Amino acid sequence: MNPKNKIQPLIFVLPAFVVYMLTVIFPILWSMGYSLFSWNGINDMKFVGLDNYVRMFTDKTFLGAVVNNLKFVLLGSVFQLTVGLFLAILLSHITKGGNLLRVIYFIPCIISSMAICQVFSKMLSAQPQGLVCYLMEKMGMEPFALLANSRTALITITLIDGYKYCGLYMIIFYSAFVSISKDVLEASIVDGCNLLQQYRYIKLPLIKNIFSIVVVMLVNGCLKTFDVFYILDNKSASTEMVATYMYKTAFNAVDFGYGSTLAVFLVVECLAAVFAVQKCLGSAKGDEAE
């Protein structure tokens, strides 16, 4: 093999690799170093060893945030996966106006989280009365702010976050469905296969690799969720996430050492979750090899 052919791919990969190192690997290593110190950003750094990690696992707020994160991962992943798949199936059977509907469903993904959260906060507000509370009152129910109630806040924010990102998974599933060979589908129809049987025995099995990728994206994204929960923060422990608690600790409480410890935990948690999902579902590469 020509030596130049070995060097050329490295030249194209190098810029992305440098950016990845500067924006991902170095910050992680930096956070690991900071996690061994107590520092408020002004005074001298004080080496505390593993004290921050001991503090983390005895911190009730942190443990509550971990539980909330796991609840959100479960609820958010199921909701976004189900809705995204349903919309993709729906769009794959719409012949007229399909392009317009795809754009409409995808719009929330490109709208800023701040704008979406402001719209929903006004709709769900009790004082002044928003649309949801108005409808609750008209139906004879006692209106209350869903975001301010500790029993409904987590589920409500999960649905808002799902509304923003369902369009992304819809596009992924839709692209997978339209890539299935029409010859296979036509042959199944000739053999007497109805629509439900097509999805059960042909379409869904053929896109199982896509399912693995989507689940990994969902779990990883839900574990790192920050923007929607931070914007809609109601100062309640029921909606505290690990990422929001990390941010508040590092920048609001100005405790960079402990905040870095929480960041390290978040990285380890995401890596462990992705590894577990891939072991359970099988990576796309492994499935293709079989």
Side-chain angles (χ1 to χ4, degrees), residues 129 132-144 146:
Q129 191 178 64
V132 174
C133 288
Y134 172 79
L135 294 176
M136 292 170 66
E137 186 177 31
K138 290 299 181 181
M139 290 187 293
M141 301 171 59
E142 183 68 26
F144 65 96
L146 293 172

Side-chain angles (χ1 to χ4, degrees), residues 58-75:
T58 57
D59 185 348
K60 292 183 179 180
T61 304
F62 165 75
L63 296 177
V66 172
V67 173
N68 292 337
N69 240 147
L70 294 177
K71 291 179 181 178
F72 175 69
V73 169
L74 179 61
L75 295 173

Side-chain angles (χ1 to χ4, degrees), residues 199-236:
Y199 277 99
R200 181 178 179 182
Y201 298 109
I202 299 174
K203 290 188 176 181
L204 294 180
L206 285 176
I207 66 168
K208 61 181 179 180
N209 294 342
I210 302 300
F211 267 100
S212 299
I213 296 171
V214 168
V215 171
V216 168
M217 292 174 61
L218 276 169
V219 171
N220 192 41
C222 288
L223 285 174
K224 297 187 299 183
T225 187
F226 173 80
D227 52 353
V228 174
F229 278 88
Y230 186 77
I231 295 170
L232 295 175
D233 183 20
N234 59 3
K235 311 300 181 183
S236 172

Side-chain angles (χ1 to χ4, degrees), residues 93-271:
H93 293 282
I94 294 178
T95 55
K96 293 184 178 180
N99 291 332
L100 177 61
L101 288 175
R102 283 195 291 274
V103 172
I104 293 174
Y105 291 148
F106 191 73
I107 283 176
C109 293
I110 59 178
I111 297 178
S112 70
S113 297
M114 178 61 76
I116 290 177
C117 291
Q118 287 298 316
V119 170
F120 276 100
S121 64
K122 299 298 182 184
M123 290 176 58
L124 298 171
S125 173
Q127 292 294 334
Q129 191 178 64
L131 176 62
V132 174
C133 288
Y134 172 79
L135 294 176
M136 292 170 66
E137 186 177 31
K138 290 299 181 181
M139 290 187 293
M141 301 171 59
E142 183 68 26
F144 65 96
L146 293 172
L147 290 173
N149 190 302
S150 60
R151 291 176 297 178
T152 59
L154 181 62
I155 296 176
T156 303
I157 298 179
T158 299
L159 296 178
I160 294 173
D161 185 80
Y163 167 78
K164 177 173 174 58
Y165 293 108
C166 278
L168 173 63
Y169 302 109
M170 173 203 71
I171 293 296
I172 295 174
F173 282 128
Y174 178 79
S175 302
F177 283 135
V178 298
S179 66
I180 297 175
S181 174
K182 292 183 179 180
D183 293 338
V184 175
L185 300 178
E186 291 173 357
S188 68
I189 295 174
V190 173
D191 291 337
C193 188
N194 59 38
L195 185 61
L196 292 177
Q197 290 172 330
Q198 272 191 350
Y199 277 99
R200 181 178 179 182
Y201 298 109
I202 299 174
K203 290 188 176 181
L204 294 180
L206 285 176
I207 66 168
K208 61 181 179 180
N209 294 342
I210 302 300
F211 267 100
S212 299
I213 296 171
V214 168
V215 171
V216 168
M217 292 174 61
L218 276 169
V219 171
N220 192 41
C222 288
L223 285 174
K224 297 187 299 183
T225 187
F226 173 80
D227 52 353
V228 174
F229 278 88
Y230 186 77
I231 295 170
L232 295 175
D233 183 20
N234 59 3
K235 311 300 181 183
S236 172
S238 63
T239 57
E240 190 73 89
M241 296 286 115
V242 175
T244 57
Y245 184 51
M246 174 195 69
Y247 181 87
K248 294 173 185 176
T249 300
F251 299 103
N252 292 357
V254 198
D255 190 346
F256 294 109
Y258 188 46
S260 298
T261 305
L262 298 174
V264 172
F265 172 84
L266 193 59
V267 171
V268 174
E269 183 186 35
C270 290
L271 291 175

